[in-house]
Amino acid sequence: MAQQPLEGSQAIAQAVALCRPQVVAAYPITPQTHIVENLAKLIADGKLACELVSVESEFSAASVVLGAAAAGSRAYTATSSQGLLLMTEVLFNIAGLRVPLVLTCANRTVGAPVSLGNDHQDSMAVRDAGWVQLYCADNQEAIDTTIHAFRIAERCELPVMVCVDGFTLTHTLEPLEVPAQQQVDNFVGPYAFARTLKPTDPITLGTVLSHEFYPEVRHAHHRALLDAQEEIVAADREWHALTGRSTGGLLSIEGPPDAQTAILTIGSILGTLADAQAEYRDQAPAKLIKLRAFRPFPVDALKQACEGLRELVVVERAVSLGSGGIIAAEVRAALSEMSSPPRVHSYAIGLGGRDVPMNAYPKLVAAAQSESPPRFAIFDLQPAKLPAEDR
Amino acid sequence: MTLEQPTKSCSELRRAQPVFRGLEAGHRACQGCGQALAARLVTEAIGPDVLIANATGCLEVFTTAWPQSAWRVPWLHSVFANTAAVASGMEAALKAQKRNTKVVAFGGDGGTFDIGLQALSGMLERNHNVLYVCFDNEAYMNTGVQRSSSTPHAAETTTSPPGRERAGKRHLKKDLVTIIAAHRIPYAATATVAYPSDLRKKVRRGLQVEGAAFIVVHSPCPLGWGHENALGIEVARLAVQTGLYPMIELERGELVGAMPIREVHPVTDYLRLQDRFKHLFADDPRAREELEHLQELANHNIEVYGLRAQKPDRFDSEGADTVRRGGMRTA
């Protein structure tokens, strides 16, 4: 299939349109805005038959798509940063109601301090909301993952958050393959939500539940998320058969099979690190583990990927302040089940949009060999910029 | 040939007619709950072809203790503040699917006047084809009677207690209808459980119009207002007859109708029945001042909405709660 030059947001909007949502609701926020602008244009030009609800807040955007999905329509929203946090109450509610929805999070840091820069503080903050979270390494993955997301959401009755790095992906032009409508129709299928609200079969959704049943509902939701791993892998496998493209399912590994050092990361810095991996092949040989699914957290796949490793550097773009690395903490917990787990090094990098250059790669590999690595550190910290007492 | 004689009287036959009930008996509302009555009347008037979005609050809690539900209509509760937005989404979905089912949103005064006001304003501005019904019991009853912006001036709640320094709520009841009117939606009205046929008529009108409609229904809460359980209707009727709760209808923001008051009662007739105003009847100059203040607020309503009846009328505050049948049916 021919490639065409598209901006990330434009590509995501086209992928969403190919999935034929009937209701789209969103509120403008940088760097998400281009996605909904592109969708609005597709609707205005008659290329997508869809109700666009231009709401007065992200809180309402999430609520509108919830109402629409419950009333029997495929629905979509997108946001970033403060907007995602404003949605938080509804995000938990959507997941608890087990309503299938797709949300694109154009990842951006959360203020204060205010910054438009890209990191994962926003989506990481809502990791316990009960959504599937898939992170995209590039814009082709953003297209493909968006299409997977509708299928995964509707088959698992779970909402899916597709995380794409703000600016780095959303505002970057790349040559991309946009699949054919027929292909997507076959892959995603028509929207069918078993608990659609209809007067001929009235049901009550969102009831009060006592502790008599509450833990069981939580268990079922947790179970559904764990089981979604199969659907994530299956979607990727089938999409690969259709298009020849794989996004790696839950996670994927690149690099020399015998390397005993690996860098695990998430999102678009994988592109930089993959290029660096090739560049520094001889100087700093290491594997690169791309974590695509953060929720559900793929414990088994991760353990398998870490077999034979001595050093694992977890590089992430968010911090749990007062604790440290978010992904690293979960990785440490998962790998503790191994008989001889690698040492886990935890670093945050590129916070607030700070550029992650190619030479970060050999530095990270070198840091992995240090005698006593810090439990957690901000890798690209420039202490000279801080007053002495804050260093 | 002789005509078969009916074995039942007309009124018996009428009573034997099935009535659609959207909200069934057996829920867990308090005795004398005005909101339960209001919700039953409203859902009866709507009929079965509806989707309901319900805000957090008493109505949600007392009707849906899983695995039981008192609803015979499809019903969704999401969170407290987003009801109008959820209803907007339902309406957008039905429009996309070309289904004609009505969408109705239910919220209390907390969910409507306060925490859900932004979402409501958005829904009205976008003119979704949704009827929003607010059951106004003038405080946060679900959490144990805290003041809301709908609580009347000088009323006692747990967060506006009277004491040496205070005489109940310091602020005025928010004039929500004027805010709604400013959105210039096709239809808005105030109603009350004390006048069921008037309420039904307004619900039907609200569903009839194309676009957003809003009705606020004054719904007594015996627990929160501190009146006898059996007196809810009388209390609610007095709220209208004193001028404190004017019954009005607005189209595109313009006043098109008001229920005239045949016999204007002093506000004390209304206040005296409720413990939430008990402190206003103490021998205290400040209490007297607040009573005068409340009387002035009622007088103001009577003046701005022209509520004083010129001559007795079967749609006025004495006539409108009379149930008429057949040819005299007014609702």
Side-chain angles (χ1 to χ4, degrees):
Chain A
M1 195 177 293
Q3 291 191 324
Q4 46 179 313
L6 288 171
E7 191 202 41
S9 301
Q10 210 177 356
I12 292 163
Q14 289 196 15
V16 169
L18 285 169
C19 297
R20 303 185 191 272
Q22 285 185 305
V23 176
V24 169
Y27 187 79
I29 184 168
T30 305
Q32 171 277 127
T33 317
H34 288 187
I35 299 174
V36 69
E37 283 175 357
N38 277 293
L39 279 167
K41 186 75 177 117
L42 289 170
I43 294 166
D45 290 344
K47 292 176 181 159
L48 172 63
C50 177
E51 290 294 320
L52 176 67
V53 186
S54 298
V55 285
E56 79 296 334
S57 74
E58 288 91 350
F59 182 76
S60 283
S63 308
V64 163
V65 291
L66 164 61
S73 282
R74 183 172 286 153
Y76 169 84
T77 185
T79 189
S80 295
S81 183
Q82 316 295 132
L84 191 74
L85 294 200
L86 188 60
M87 284 183 180
T88 307
E89 186 191 13
V90 188
L91 296 180
F92 276 76
N93 190 256
I94 288 167
L97 289 166
R98 301 283 308 277
V99 168
L101 280 170
V102 174
L103 178 154
T104 303
C105 175
N107 285 108
R108 170 185 150 189
T109 194
V110 177
V114 174
S115 164
L116 299 178
N118 158 229
D119 67 30
H120 296 152
Q121 203 67 53
D122 49 4
S123 53
M124 283 293 162
V126 295
R127 63 189 180 275
D128 297 331
W131 286 57
V132 171
Q133 281 195 348
L134 302 174
Y135 287 78
C136 302
D138 57 44
N139 276 327
Q140 189 63 57
E141 280 194 17
I143 292 178
D144 296 343
T145 302
T146 301
I147 294 162
H148 296 191
F150 282 99
R151 173 171 142 144
I152 295 163
E154 290 164 24
R155 293 194 177 188
C156 301
E157 290 197 347
L158 285 168
V160 179
M161 190 178 297
V162 179
C163 301
V164 293
D165 284 326
F167 298 110
T168 320
L169 296 185
T170 57
H171 288 54
T172 303
L173 273 158
E174 283 187 74
L176 297 166
E177 280 184 25
V178 178
Q181 183 65 64
Q182 192 58 46
Q183 217 167 19
V184 178
D185 284 346
N186 293 342
F187 184 77
V188 178
Y191 181 79
F193 177 45
R195 287 171 289 134
T196 292
L197 296 171
K198 45 183 185 291
T200 45
D201 180 20
I203 57 165
T204 303
L205 279 182
T207 64
V208 178
L209 193 71
S210 77
H211 57 81
E212 221 179 314
F213 303 102
Y214 205 93
E216 288 70 29
V217 171
R218 278 293 189 232
H219 173 82
H221 192 167
H222 176 56
R223 194 71 254 168
L225 270 162
L226 294 180
D227 290 348
Q229 292 182 78
E230 283 174 32
E231 210 48 73
I232 294 168
V233 171
D236 186 53
R237 199 188 308 120
E238 201 177 306
W239 191 244
H240 181 252
L242 281 171
T243 63
R245 289 193 304 274
S246 170
T247 46
L250 301 167
L251 56 76
S252 57
I253 313 159
E254 296 284 335
D258 56 345
Q260 292 189 320
T261 300
I263 298 175
L264 179 148
T265 192
I266 197 162
S268 68
I269 55 170
L270 276 154
T272 307
L273 296 183
D275 285 352
Q277 189 188 36
E279 174 99 12
Y280 298 94
R281 193 182 305 120
D282 306 320
Q283 192 188 331
K287 288 183 194 171
L288 203 50
I289 301 175
K290 175 178 87 177
L291 188 65
R292 177 169 176 255
F294 182 61
R295 283 292 179 274
F297 193 69
V299 173
D300 293 329
L302 185 66
K303 276 157 63 182
Q304 211 179 334
C306 293
E307 262 331 313
L309 286 180
R310 292 172 64 122
E311 311 292 342
L312 176 65
V313 188
V314 177
V315 185
E316 55 191 300
R317 308 189 72 180
V319 195
S320 177
L321 299 170
S323 171
I326 297 166
I327 301 171
E330 302 210 11
V331 167
R332 280 187 178 125
L335 300 190
S336 69
E337 296 172 11
M338 293 173 74
S339 52
S340 53
R343 281 203 305 177
V344 176
H345 309 258
S346 170
Y347 294 109
I349 199 166
L351 298 181
R354 181 169 291 179
D355 188 41
V356 180
M358 294 269 278
N359 67 12
Y361 175 86
K363 288 182 191 168
L364 285 163
V365 175
Q369 317 309 325
S370 82
E371 278 295 306
S372 53
R375 189 174 294 134
F376 166 77
I378 294 177
F379 195 75
D380 46 3
L381 186 77
Q382 296 168 7
K385 292 180 179 171
L386 285 166
E389 65 272 21
D390 286 344
R391 281 177 203 169
Chain B
M1 197 177 83
T2 56
L3 281 172
E4 200 181 320
Q5 292 299 308
T7 54
K8 286 182 172 149
S9 73
C10 286
S11 65
E12 276 174 326
L13 284 170
R14 251 195 312 269
R15 262 181 245 121
Q17 281 179 350
V19 174
F20 171 75
R21 280 204 172 180
L23 177 64
E24 268 299 347
H27 53 67
R28 302 174 178 198
C30 306
Q31 202 174 34
C33 174
Q35 191 184 30
L37 174 59
R40 179 170 71 74
L41 292 171
V42 170
T43 46
E44 273 178 20
I46 295 166
D49 193 18
V50 66
L51 305 187
I52 292 181
N54 203 125
T56 304
C58 286
L59 183 60
E60 166 246 334
V61 172
F62 73 65
T63 58
T64 70
W66 200 87
Q68 298 168 330
S69 169
W71 297 98
R72 282 194 185 276
V73 283
W75 182 97
L76 169 66
H77 160 247
S78 173
V79 298
F80 201 2
N82 69 353
T83 315
V86 171
S88 301
M90 288 175 168
E91 182 256 12
L94 295 180
K95 205 171 180 183
Q97 296 166 38
K98 301 188 174 23
R99 281 162 69 191
N100 288 321
T101 300
K102 305 282 180 193
V103 178
V104 174
F106 285 165
D109 51 289
T112 307
F113 286 62
D114 289 344
I115 200 168
L117 184 59
Q118 177 181 319
L120 174 61
S121 176
M123 185 199 99
L124 300 180
E125 182 266 332
R126 296 188 300 270
N127 200 26
H128 288 273
N129 194 14
V130 173
L131 168 63
Y132 189 107
V133 181
C134 168
F135 302 107
D136 182 12
N137 56 21
E138 305 190 319
Y140 290 90
M141 301 314 186
N142 192 38
T143 43
V145 198
Q146 292 82 28
R147 62 86 86 185
S148 74
S149 65
S150 171
T151 302
H153 178 64
E156 173 180 0
T157 69
T158 56
T159 50
S160 63
R164 210 179 57 160
E165 301 292 330
R166 297 277 186 274
K169 187 187 173 188
R170 298 165 74 192
H171 313 102
L172 296 176
K173 181 183 172 88
K174 186 186 278 183
D175 183 5
L176 184 66
V177 176
T178 301
I179 297 171
I180 302 295
H183 290 79
R184 303 276 163 188
I185 55 168
Y187 183 74
T190 59
T192 167
V193 291
Y195 297 95
S197 41
D198 179 70
L199 172 58
R200 289 196 194 93
K201 182 188 78 179
K202 286 168 176 170
V203 169
R204 282 195 283 266
R205 179 84 185 111
L207 290 172
Q208 217 171 40
V209 296
E210 186 65 33
F214 176 88
I215 301 173
V216 55
V217 188
H218 201 216
S219 311
C221 170
L223 193 75
W225 295 9
H227 63 73
E228 294 295 325
N229 291 342
L231 286 187
I233 300 300
E234 189 167 336
V235 168
R237 195 187 292 125
L238 280 164
V240 176
Q241 291 170 335
T242 52
L244 281 171
Y245 214 99
M247 292 290 103
I248 57 171
E249 286 179 284
L250 303 131
E251 285 180 7
R252 297 278 167 206
E254 299 298 329
L255 190 69
V256 293
M259 181 188 289
I261 307 173
R262 193 185 296 182
E263 189 192 331
V264 178
H265 289 249
V267 293
T268 46
D269 284 7
Y270 171 67
L271 305 175
R272 208 187 298 278
L273 296 173
Q274 307 171 58
D275 285 348
R276 60 176 174 159
F277 297 111
K278 192 171 58 186
H279 56 285
L280 301 183
F281 295 92
D283 186 19
D284 170 2
R286 207 180 39 179
R288 280 193 291 278
E289 192 185 318
E290 289 297 6
L291 280 180
E292 281 168 28
H293 192 173
L294 287 165
Q295 185 60 59
E296 281 308 314
L297 290 172
N299 296 348
H300 176 77
N301 285 340
I302 291 168
E303 193 182 324
V304 295
Y305 295 118
L307 298 178
R308 206 176 288 275
Q310 301 306 311
K311 57 178 177 13
D313 171 327
R314 61 197 172 95
F315 297 110
D316 70 16
S317 63
E318 300 296 316
D321 61 344
T322 309
V323 178
R324 294 181 183 80
R325 298 289 186 182
M328 285 296 284
R329 195 179 175 92
T330 54

